[in-house]
Amino acid sequence: GAGVSQSPRYKVAKRGQDVALRCDPISGHVSLFWYQQALGQGPEFLTYFQNEAQLDKSGLPSDRFFAERPEGSVSTLKIQRTQQEDSAVYLCASSLLAGGLRTDTQYFGPGTRLTVL
Amino acid sequence: EDQVTQSPEALRLQEGESSSLNCSYTVSGLRGLFWYRQDPGKGPEFLFTLYSAGEEKEKERLKATLTKKESFLHITAPKPEDSATYLCAVQAHGSGNTGKLIFGQGTTLQVKP
């Protein structure tokens, strides 16, 4: 079946612009995660959704970052007034079950590479 | 604080030369340890989950093992197509209701023919 998809795959923004990154999880997956991956580093957790509820946003770097999943499927990560330090790959992952119930495999999308000039 | 450290950062092997990658972790309580493979320009691809010390899992030329403090990914007779970055991640009981993963920085493996 189809995996996790993300769009756009590449995004170039001028400093100060707003951007929106989209994630389409695997159909039926309850949990959705956003991670940020800097060059040469492992992914870092940003935020978690269980269906439409955002249960953890402790990893969001600043109030310029906002995420939503209004209908419990597609999610959007929005970054306002982008800064150069926001340049990174943004990864979305989904898993079948709710995060607190049991250890569950997270399946990752290809990521969106954001470059802020 | 929950933490994951991988070593070495980079590893070059000749085709057929077996080796191991290390993942050391410190967590408040381990729910699971995950290994992923990441190719350039792609998202991490799931390989294994290990849950308790002494557990082992195998897939083709890869074998993952787990102790109370670290995990090893053993690569037997690697081929050039095994070249990738290998990521280790833990899921801790302290993650509450999220199941979020804490990743190491990865080991970049290059296998030369």
Side-chain angles (χ1 to χ4, degrees), chain A residues 30-31 33 48 50 55 95 97-104, chain B residues 31 91-93 95-100:
Chain A
V30 168
S31 292
F33 303 81
Y48 166 72
Q50 181 177 309
L55 297 186
S95 64
L97 303 174
L101 293 179
R102 52 166 283 184
T103 304
D104 197 15
Chain B
R31 285 176 57 181
Q91 199 175 64
H93 284 294
S95 68
N97 292 326
T98 72
K100 65 185 177 186

Side-chain angles (χ1 to χ4, degrees), chain B residues 33-69:
Chain B
L33 185 141
F34 297 77
W35 282 98
Y36 284 85
R37 167 189 172 130
Q38 186 172 29
D39 292 295
K42 297 189 176 181
E45 175 187 348
F46 171 73
L47 293 173
F48 304 108
T49 307
L50 301 168
Y51 297 99
S52 57
E55 189 175 1
E56 299 182 351
K57 287 194 176 172
E58 287 188 68
K59 179 180 179 180
E60 295 180 355
R61 295 176 293 281
L62 301 177
K63 178 180 176 181
T65 62
L66 181 64
T67 72
K68 288 186 178 180
K69 292 184 178 181

Side-chain angles (χ1 to χ4, degrees), chain B residues 85-105:
Chain B
T85 295
Y86 291 85
L87 295 165
C88 171
V90 297
Q91 199 175 64
H93 284 294
S95 68
N97 292 326
T98 72
K100 65 185 177 186
L101 296 177
I102 301 164
F103 282 87
Q105 76 276 28

Side-chain angles (χ1 to χ4, degrees), chain B residues 11-26:
Chain B
L11 182 61
R12 282 186 175 183
L13 299 174
Q14 288 296 128
E15 185 172 2
E17 179 187 2
S18 301
S19 188
S20 296
L21 282 55
N22 177 264
C23 170
S24 298
Y25 63 91
T26 305

Side-chain angles (χ1 to χ4, degrees), chain A residues 2-113:
Chain A
V4 178
S5 61
Q6 293 185 245
S7 61
R9 290 296 316 280
Y10 303 92
K11 178 69 178 178
V12 178
K14 291 184 179 179
R15 191 176 59 177
Q17 284 184 332
D18 297 348
V19 298
L21 312 180
R22 177 187 170 107
C23 172
D24 284 83
I26 295 172
S27 178
H29 277 200
V30 168
S31 292
L32 186 145
F33 303 81
W34 284 97
Y35 293 86
Q36 180 189 59
Q37 187 173 26
L39 189 64
Q41 300 297 315
E44 290 192 2
F45 170 79
L46 293 177
T47 188
Y48 166 72
F49 289 87
Q50 181 177 309
N51 294 310
E52 69 277 4
Q54 189 175 19
L55 297 186
D56 187 344
K57 51 183 181 180
S58 62
L60 296 177
S62 75
D63 58 8
R64 296 185 294 104
F65 287 70
F66 172 77
E68 60 183 4
R69 193 186 185 197
E71 297 179 358
S73 55
V74 171
S75 177
T76 303
L77 176 67
K78 298 179 180 178
I79 309 173
Q80 297 176 328
R81 304 181 303 282
T82 53
Q83 304 294 316
Q84 284 189 323
E85 60 262 30
D86 299 335
S87 296
V89 174
Y90 291 85
L91 294 165
C92 175
S94 70
S95 64
L96 180 61
L97 303 174
L101 293 179
R102 52 166 283 184
T103 304
D104 197 15
T105 300
Q106 293 181 27
Y107 297 93
F108 284 81
T112 294
R113 180 177 296 278

